[in-house]
Amino acid sequence: MIDLPDFSAVEAAAVRLRGRIEATPVLRSDAFDARSGRRVFFKCENLQAGGSFKLRGATNAVLLPQRTGLRAVATHSSGNHGAALARAARAVGLRCIVVVPRDASAVKLAAIEAQGAELVRSEPGLAAREAALAEVLRAIDAEVVHPFDDARVIAGQGTAALELLGVRDDLDVLATPVGGGGLLAGSALAARGIESKLRVIGVEPALADDAARSFHGGVRVGLQGSPPTIADGLRGSIGERPYALVRDLVDDILTVSESAIVAAMRAVLEDFKILIEPSSAVPVAALLDGRLAAAGERVGVVISGGNVDLAQCPFLAGRTH
C-alpha cells in the first residue's frame, strides 16, 4: 500500500508555502487566443523563483522531513528539481546532493550548482540515475526527496493549479506537461478537490510516451534509456504514486511531435513575449494542434518552467527541431 496525498494535503501545502514561494501570475494574450481559437490562461511557473514549478514540491518536502535530526537531502534530477531542492534545502540549512545525468542541460546543471548542491554524475536514463543515487545513500546519511514519486512533492506541485483555479474558476480544461507525473497528479488533486467539472489533461512528447501508454493501457510502463526529445524535463518514466492518482483523476493524456513542441515555444514567444522551456511547451503544442480543447473553450495551462538553454533553442539557431 503506497501513501498517496489527497486534496487536504494540497491545501495544507498551500498554507505551508505561503511566503516561501512566488504566487506566479496568470497571463493571457488576445493574439494567442486568436491563434488557438480558445480562451487560454497561462499559470506562469516559468516566473517562479528558480524558473520552475519544482520549488513548490521541493520546499513542501523539506518542511515535512520524515525524521528528526535530518542533515542532508538527496535526489536525482535532469535539472529543475535538483535546483529547486538545493534552493529549498539551503533555506532550511540542509546539505543537498543531486545525481545528474550526463545528457542534462548545461544551463540547468549550472543552476543546480549555483544553489549550492553537490553534483554526482550518472549515465542517462532513470535506472542509471537511481543506481547512482543508491550509491550516494550508501555513503551519505541523507533523506531522498524524489523528483515526482513522493507524496509531499505531489501535494506541493498541486498548489500551482490550486492558485490558478482560485483566479479562474470557469475553466473547461486544465492541462499540464507530464514526465514523472508529479505536476499532473497534484493538479488533478487540486481540480477534483474543489469539485470542478473541468477536464484534466496531461501532454507528453511522442518520443517519451510512457505516461500515455500507461494511462490508455491500464498498466504502468517505463521508458528505456533516455529518449531523444528536446523536452529534457520529461524524459523520466511516470512514477508509481503519480500513476495511481492520474489513473483515477485525469481525463486523458496526449502526445505531441518534436516539431510541434518547437513551434509552440515560438508561438508563446511571439504572442506572450516570454520564452518557455520545451517541457512547458508540450501542452501548448497540443492546444495549437486543436486536440486539447474544443473551439471557444476556456483552457488553463500550467507553464512549468522557463530554463532554456539558449544555445540549444532551435528557432534561435534557425532550426525547426
Side-chain angles (χ1 to χ4, degrees):
M1 189 73 176
I2 56 174
D3 57 314
L4 294 177
D6 56 14
F7 178 59
S8 66
V10 179
E11 290 184 302
V15 174
R16 195 173 296 116
L17 296 179
R18 195 169 296 148
R20 295 179 178 271
I21 56 136
E22 298 292 333
T24 53
V26 177
L27 302 181
R28 58 167 301 276
S29 159
D30 287 338
F32 190 83
D33 285 357
R35 184 195 294 263
S36 66
R38 283 96 176 135
R39 290 271 291 171
V40 184
F41 303 89
F42 282 177
K43 175 62 171 168
C44 290
E45 288 296 291
N46 56 305
L47 301 179
Q48 184 59 257
S52 102
F53 75 98
K54 293 282 191 176
L55 186 62
R56 295 174 181 270
T59 301
N60 194 49
V62 300
L63 294 176
L64 290 172
Q66 294 171 341
R67 57 188 171 89
T68 58
L70 182 66
R71 294 187 177 183
V73 290
T75 194
H76 63 76
S77 171
S78 61
N80 284 339
H81 174 69
L85 184 61
R87 178 185 286 263
R90 187 176 64 179
V92 297
L94 294 176
R95 180 184 178 189
C96 182
I97 303 95
V98 182
V99 172
V100 296
R102 298 188 188 280
D103 63 347
S105 160
V107 168
K108 292 182 178 180
L109 292 184
I112 297 172
E113 289 188 298
Q115 294 302 324
E118 302 164 41
L119 269 57
V120 175
R121 306 279 178 164
S122 79
E123 294 305 314
L126 186 59
R129 287 160 56 164
E130 291 181 340
L133 180 58
E135 286 292 325
V136 168
L137 296 176
R138 280 191 277 272
I140 299 170
D141 181 22
E143 181 177 298
V144 174
V145 178
H146 195 277
F148 45 84
D149 208 351
D150 184 309
R152 302 166 299 175
V153 170
I154 294 169
Q157 316 304 32
T159 61
L162 192 65
E163 288 177 9
L164 170 60
L165 296 172
V167 174
R168 300 297 316 190
D169 62 359
D170 59 348
L171 298 178
D172 299 300
V173 178
L174 172 65
T176 82
V178 53
L183 177 60
L184 179 59
S187 298
L189 280 173
R192 302 312 176 208
I194 62 173
E195 299 183 351
S196 172
K197 299 298 189 292
L198 58 73
R199 303 189 304 282
V200 179
I201 298 175
V203 190
E204 66 182 346
L207 292 180
D209 66 345
D210 63 294
R213 288 186 287 117
S214 300
F215 181 80
H216 294 292
V219 178
R220 185 170 72 96
V221 297
L223 294 168
Q224 300 299 316
S226 181
T229 174
I230 190 175
D232 59 288
L234 306 181
R235 290 173 182 161
S237 298
I238 190 168
E240 184 179 10
R241 289 169 184 81
Y243 175 68
L245 293 166
V246 165
R247 180 187 58 205
D248 293 338
L249 302 177
V250 168
D251 293 283
D252 202 0
I253 296 181
L254 308 173
T255 64
V256 294
S257 70
E258 296 297 293
S259 59
I261 295 170
V262 174
M265 290 177 67
R266 182 163 187 158
V268 172
L269 181 58
E270 289 174 348
D271 293 347
F272 283 87
K273 314 308 178 191
I274 56 176
L275 183 60
I276 63 174
E277 63 185 72
S279 298
S280 297
V282 170
V284 181
L287 181 65
L288 293 174
D289 282 350
R291 294 182 294 126
L292 189 60
E297 285 194 309
R298 296 175 295 272
V299 184
V301 179
V302 179
I303 299 296
S304 55
N307 294 315
V308 181
D309 185 342
L310 297 179
Q312 299 299 318
C313 184
F315 54 83
L316 292 181
R319 304 193 308 273
T320 59
H321 63 276

